[in-house]
Short mmCIF file of all heavy atoms in Angstrom, two decimals:
data_model
loop_
_atom_site.label_atom_id
_atom_site.label_comp_id
_atom_site.label_asym_id
_atom_site.label_seq_id
_atom_site.Cartn_x
_atom_site.Cartn_y
_atom_site.Cartn_z
N LEU A 103 -9.55 -8.33 -7.44
CA LEU A 103 -9.06 -7.88 -8.76
C LEU A 103 -7.86 -8.75 -9.21
O LEU A 103 -7.77 -9.09 -10.37
CB LEU A 103 -8.69 -6.41 -8.72
CG LEU A 103 -9.85 -5.47 -8.55
CD1 LEU A 103 -9.39 -4.04 -8.25
CD2 LEU A 103 -10.78 -5.49 -9.76
N GLU A 104 -6.98 -9.07 -8.29
CA GLU A 104 -5.84 -9.91 -8.64
C GLU A 104 -6.31 -11.35 -8.98
O GLU A 104 -5.74 -11.90 -9.91
CB GLU A 104 -4.82 -9.96 -7.50
CG GLU A 104 -4.09 -8.63 -7.31
CD GLU A 104 -3.24 -8.59 -6.08
OE1 GLU A 104 -3.44 -9.41 -5.11
OE2 GLU A 104 -2.36 -7.72 -6.01
N ARG A 105 -7.26 -11.85 -8.28
CA ARG A 105 -7.80 -13.19 -8.57
C ARG A 105 -8.67 -13.27 -9.82
O ARG A 105 -8.44 -14.14 -10.67
CB ARG A 105 -8.57 -13.68 -7.33
CG ARG A 105 -9.12 -15.09 -7.45
CD ARG A 105 -10.08 -15.46 -6.32
NE ARG A 105 -11.29 -14.66 -6.41
CZ ARG A 105 -11.75 -13.87 -5.44
NH1 ARG A 105 -11.10 -13.75 -4.30
NH2 ARG A 105 -12.85 -13.17 -5.61
N ASP A 106 -9.61 -12.37 -9.91
CA ASP A 106 -10.60 -12.49 -10.99
C ASP A 106 -10.26 -11.76 -12.28
O ASP A 106 -10.76 -12.14 -13.37
CB ASP A 106 -11.96 -11.91 -10.52
CG ASP A 106 -12.53 -12.74 -9.32
OD1 ASP A 106 -12.01 -13.84 -9.04
OD2 ASP A 106 -13.47 -12.25 -8.72
N TYR A 107 -9.41 -10.74 -12.24
CA TYR A 107 -9.08 -9.95 -13.45
C TYR A 107 -7.63 -9.73 -13.57
O TYR A 107 -7.16 -8.55 -13.66
CB TYR A 107 -9.86 -8.64 -13.39
CG TYR A 107 -11.34 -8.80 -13.13
CD1 TYR A 107 -11.92 -8.45 -11.91
CD2 TYR A 107 -12.15 -9.37 -14.08
CE1 TYR A 107 -13.26 -8.62 -11.66
CE2 TYR A 107 -13.55 -9.55 -13.86
CZ TYR A 107 -14.05 -9.17 -12.62
OH TYR A 107 -15.40 -9.35 -12.38
N PRO A 108 -6.77 -10.78 -13.51
CA PRO A 108 -5.32 -10.58 -13.43
C PRO A 108 -4.73 -9.93 -14.67
O PRO A 108 -3.59 -9.39 -14.60
CB PRO A 108 -4.79 -12.02 -13.25
CG PRO A 108 -5.84 -12.86 -13.84
CD PRO A 108 -7.12 -12.19 -13.57
N GLU A 109 -5.43 -9.91 -15.77
CA GLU A 109 -4.92 -9.35 -17.01
C GLU A 109 -5.09 -7.84 -17.09
O GLU A 109 -4.52 -7.19 -18.01
CB GLU A 109 -5.60 -9.97 -18.23
CG GLU A 109 -7.08 -9.63 -18.44
CD GLU A 109 -8.10 -10.13 -17.43
OE1 GLU A 109 -7.78 -11.06 -16.67
OE2 GLU A 109 -9.21 -9.63 -17.41
N THR A 110 -5.80 -7.25 -16.14
CA THR A 110 -6.11 -5.80 -16.21
C THR A 110 -5.46 -5.09 -15.04
O THR A 110 -5.69 -5.46 -13.90
CB THR A 110 -7.62 -5.55 -16.17
OG1 THR A 110 -8.22 -6.35 -17.23
CG2 THR A 110 -7.96 -4.09 -16.35
N PRO A 111 -4.65 -4.00 -15.27
CA PRO A 111 -4.12 -3.22 -14.19
C PRO A 111 -5.18 -2.31 -13.57
O PRO A 111 -6.01 -1.74 -14.30
CB PRO A 111 -3.00 -2.44 -14.80
CG PRO A 111 -3.27 -2.40 -16.26
CD PRO A 111 -4.13 -3.61 -16.57
N PHE A 112 -5.20 -2.20 -12.28
CA PHE A 112 -6.14 -1.35 -11.57
C PHE A 112 -5.44 -0.48 -10.56
O PHE A 112 -4.38 -0.84 -10.05
CB PHE A 112 -7.16 -2.23 -10.76
CG PHE A 112 -8.11 -3.00 -11.62
CD1 PHE A 112 -7.82 -4.28 -12.05
CD2 PHE A 112 -9.30 -2.43 -11.98
CE1 PHE A 112 -8.74 -5.00 -12.79
CE2 PHE A 112 -10.22 -3.11 -12.76
CZ PHE A 112 -9.95 -4.44 -13.19
N VAL A 113 -6.10 0.62 -10.24
CA VAL A 113 -5.68 1.47 -9.13
C VAL A 113 -6.86 1.54 -8.12
O VAL A 113 -8.01 1.75 -8.55
CB VAL A 113 -5.32 2.92 -9.61
CG1 VAL A 113 -5.04 3.80 -8.40
CG2 VAL A 113 -4.14 2.83 -10.55
N ILE A 114 -6.55 1.31 -6.90
CA ILE A 114 -7.52 1.45 -5.82
C ILE A 114 -7.04 2.63 -4.97
O ILE A 114 -5.95 2.66 -4.52
CB ILE A 114 -7.58 0.17 -4.95
CG1 ILE A 114 -7.88 -1.05 -5.82
CG2 ILE A 114 -8.59 0.33 -3.83
CD1 ILE A 114 -7.60 -2.37 -5.15
N PHE A 115 -7.95 3.61 -4.80
CA PHE A 115 -7.56 4.89 -4.26
C PHE A 115 -8.50 5.31 -3.12
O PHE A 115 -9.71 5.11 -3.26
CB PHE A 115 -7.59 5.94 -5.38
CG PHE A 115 -7.05 7.29 -4.96
CD1 PHE A 115 -5.69 7.52 -4.99
CD2 PHE A 115 -7.91 8.28 -4.64
CE1 PHE A 115 -5.17 8.74 -4.66
CE2 PHE A 115 -7.41 9.54 -4.29
CZ PHE A 115 -6.06 9.78 -4.31
N ALA A 116 -7.97 5.86 -2.06
CA ALA A 116 -8.78 6.40 -0.97
C ALA A 116 -8.23 7.69 -0.48
O ALA A 116 -7.03 7.90 -0.40
CB ALA A 116 -8.88 5.36 0.13
N SER A 117 -9.15 8.59 -0.07
CA SER A 117 -8.76 9.82 0.51
C SER A 117 -9.49 10.02 1.84
O SER A 117 -10.63 9.59 1.97
CB SER A 117 -9.01 11.00 -0.39
OG SER A 117 -10.38 11.08 -0.75
N TYR A 118 -8.84 10.65 2.80
CA TYR A 118 -9.40 10.92 4.08
C TYR A 118 -9.67 12.46 4.17
O TYR A 118 -8.88 13.23 3.67
CB TYR A 118 -8.51 10.52 5.22
CG TYR A 118 -8.90 11.10 6.56
CD1 TYR A 118 -9.92 10.50 7.32
CD2 TYR A 118 -8.34 12.30 7.00
CE1 TYR A 118 -10.32 11.06 8.51
CE2 TYR A 118 -8.73 12.85 8.19
CZ TYR A 118 -9.75 12.27 8.92
OH TYR A 118 -10.17 12.81 10.09
N GLY A 119 -10.74 12.81 4.81
CA GLY A 119 -11.01 14.23 5.02
C GLY A 119 -11.98 14.44 6.15
O GLY A 119 -12.51 13.52 6.75
N ASP A 120 -12.22 15.73 6.37
CA ASP A 120 -13.23 16.12 7.32
C ASP A 120 -13.91 17.39 6.77
O ASP A 120 -13.37 18.01 5.89
CB ASP A 120 -12.69 16.36 8.71
CG ASP A 120 -11.61 17.42 8.74
OD1 ASP A 120 -11.87 18.52 8.29
OD2 ASP A 120 -10.50 17.15 9.32
N ASN A 121 -15.05 17.65 7.27
CA ASN A 121 -15.78 18.85 6.82
C ASN A 121 -15.66 20.01 7.82
O ASN A 121 -16.40 20.95 7.79
CB ASN A 121 -17.25 18.53 6.61
CG ASN A 121 -17.45 17.56 5.45
OD1 ASN A 121 -16.64 17.48 4.54
ND2 ASN A 121 -18.52 16.79 5.50
N LEU A 122 -14.67 19.91 8.71
CA LEU A 122 -14.59 20.90 9.79
C LEU A 122 -14.38 22.34 9.33
O LEU A 122 -14.92 23.26 9.90
CB LEU A 122 -13.44 20.51 10.73
CG LEU A 122 -13.65 19.18 11.43
CD1 LEU A 122 -12.45 18.90 12.33
CD2 LEU A 122 -14.95 19.07 12.18
N GLU A 123 -13.66 22.50 8.22
CA GLU A 123 -13.40 23.88 7.74
C GLU A 123 -14.67 24.50 7.15
O GLU A 123 -14.72 25.71 6.99
CB GLU A 123 -12.23 23.93 6.79
CG GLU A 123 -12.53 23.25 5.46
CD GLU A 123 -12.14 21.75 5.38
OE1 GLU A 123 -12.03 21.17 6.45
OE2 GLU A 123 -12.06 21.20 4.31
N PHE A 124 -15.68 23.70 6.82
CA PHE A 124 -16.89 24.19 6.23
C PHE A 124 -18.03 24.40 7.20
O PHE A 124 -19.08 24.87 6.91
CB PHE A 124 -17.36 23.25 5.13
CG PHE A 124 -16.38 23.01 4.04
CD1 PHE A 124 -15.78 21.79 3.88
CD2 PHE A 124 -15.97 24.08 3.20
CE1 PHE A 124 -14.83 21.59 2.87
CE2 PHE A 124 -15.04 23.84 2.24
CZ PHE A 124 -14.47 22.62 2.07
N LEU A 125 -17.80 23.94 8.43
CA LEU A 125 -18.90 23.95 9.43
C LEU A 125 -18.77 25.03 10.46
O LEU A 125 -17.65 25.33 10.94
CB LEU A 125 -18.92 22.56 10.10
CG LEU A 125 -19.09 21.36 9.18
CD1 LEU A 125 -18.89 20.10 9.94
CD2 LEU A 125 -20.45 21.40 8.53
N GLU A 126 -19.89 25.56 10.84
CA GLU A 126 -19.92 26.53 11.92
C GLU A 126 -20.25 25.89 13.22
O GLU A 126 -19.85 26.37 14.28
CB GLU A 126 -20.92 27.67 11.58
CG GLU A 126 -20.56 28.46 10.36
CD GLU A 126 -21.58 29.47 10.01
OE1 GLU A 126 -22.51 29.75 10.79
OE2 GLU A 126 -21.51 29.98 8.87
N ASP A 127 -20.99 24.79 13.17
CA ASP A 127 -21.47 24.15 14.37
C ASP A 127 -20.62 22.87 14.63
O ASP A 127 -20.62 21.97 13.79
CB ASP A 127 -22.95 23.78 14.24
CG ASP A 127 -23.51 23.15 15.45
OD1 ASP A 127 -22.79 23.08 16.48
OD2 ASP A 127 -24.68 22.74 15.42
N VAL A 128 -19.90 22.84 15.70
CA VAL A 128 -19.04 21.73 16.01
C VAL A 128 -19.80 20.39 16.10
O VAL A 128 -19.26 19.31 15.79
CB VAL A 128 -18.28 21.98 17.35
CG1 VAL A 128 -17.64 20.74 17.85
CG2 VAL A 128 -17.25 23.07 17.12
N ASP A 129 -21.08 20.42 16.42
CA ASP A 129 -21.89 19.21 16.51
C ASP A 129 -22.03 18.53 15.18
O ASP A 129 -22.48 17.39 15.11
CB ASP A 129 -23.28 19.52 17.10
CG ASP A 129 -23.17 19.98 18.55
OD1 ASP A 129 -22.17 19.61 19.21
OD2 ASP A 129 -24.09 20.66 18.98
N ASP A 130 -21.72 19.20 14.06
CA ASP A 130 -21.88 18.60 12.74
C ASP A 130 -20.60 18.05 12.17
O ASP A 130 -20.43 17.97 10.98
CB ASP A 130 -22.46 19.67 11.76
CG ASP A 130 -23.89 20.02 12.11
OD1 ASP A 130 -24.59 19.21 12.69
OD2 ASP A 130 -24.31 21.18 11.73
N GLU A 131 -19.66 17.68 13.02
CA GLU A 131 -18.40 17.15 12.54
C GLU A 131 -18.60 15.90 11.68
O GLU A 131 -19.56 15.11 11.96
CB GLU A 131 -17.49 16.78 13.71
CG GLU A 131 -17.01 17.96 14.49
CD GLU A 131 -16.17 17.57 15.70
OE1 GLU A 131 -15.91 16.37 15.95
OE2 GLU A 131 -15.73 18.51 16.41
N ASN A 132 -17.82 15.75 10.70
CA ASN A 132 -17.96 14.60 9.82
C ASN A 132 -16.57 14.22 9.31
O ASN A 132 -15.92 14.99 8.63
CB ASN A 132 -18.89 14.90 8.64
CG ASN A 132 -19.09 13.70 7.76
OD1 ASN A 132 -19.16 12.58 8.23
ND2 ASN A 132 -19.25 13.94 6.49
N TYR A 133 -16.12 13.03 9.64
CA TYR A 133 -14.83 12.53 9.19
C TYR A 133 -15.12 11.45 8.21
O TYR A 133 -16.02 10.59 8.45
CB TYR A 133 -14.05 11.98 10.41
CG TYR A 133 -13.96 12.97 11.49
CD1 TYR A 133 -14.90 12.98 12.55
CD2 TYR A 133 -12.93 13.91 11.50
CE1 TYR A 133 -14.79 13.95 13.58
CE2 TYR A 133 -12.86 14.89 12.52
CZ TYR A 133 -13.80 14.87 13.53
OH TYR A 133 -13.69 15.83 14.53
N TYR A 134 -14.38 11.37 7.09
CA TYR A 134 -14.76 10.41 6.07
C TYR A 134 -13.54 9.83 5.34
O TYR A 134 -12.48 10.46 5.30
CB TYR A 134 -15.74 11.06 5.05
CG TYR A 134 -15.12 12.19 4.29
CD1 TYR A 134 -14.40 11.99 3.13
CD2 TYR A 134 -15.25 13.51 4.77
CE1 TYR A 134 -13.83 13.05 2.43
CE2 TYR A 134 -14.65 14.57 4.08
CZ TYR A 134 -13.95 14.32 2.89
OH TYR A 134 -13.40 15.36 2.22
N VAL A 135 -13.78 8.70 4.73
CA VAL A 135 -12.88 8.12 3.75
C VAL A 135 -13.65 7.84 2.48
O VAL A 135 -14.76 7.26 2.56
CB VAL A 135 -12.22 6.80 4.26
CG1 VAL A 135 -11.35 6.17 3.17
CG2 VAL A 135 -11.41 7.06 5.52
#
Side-chain angles (χ1 to χ4, degrees):
L103 292 169
E104 289 172 342
R105 181 188 67 237
D106 297 348
Y107 310 108
E109 71 288 347
T110 305
F112 290 91
V113 174
I114 303 165
F115 187 82
S117 58
Y118 165 83
D120 59 53
N121 294 334
L122 299 180
E123 68 270 17
F124 302 113
L125 301 172
E126 295 176 14
D127 184 4
V128 166
D129 293 336
D130 290 335
E131 292 178 1
N132 184 34
Y133 307 92
Y134 63 88
V135 176

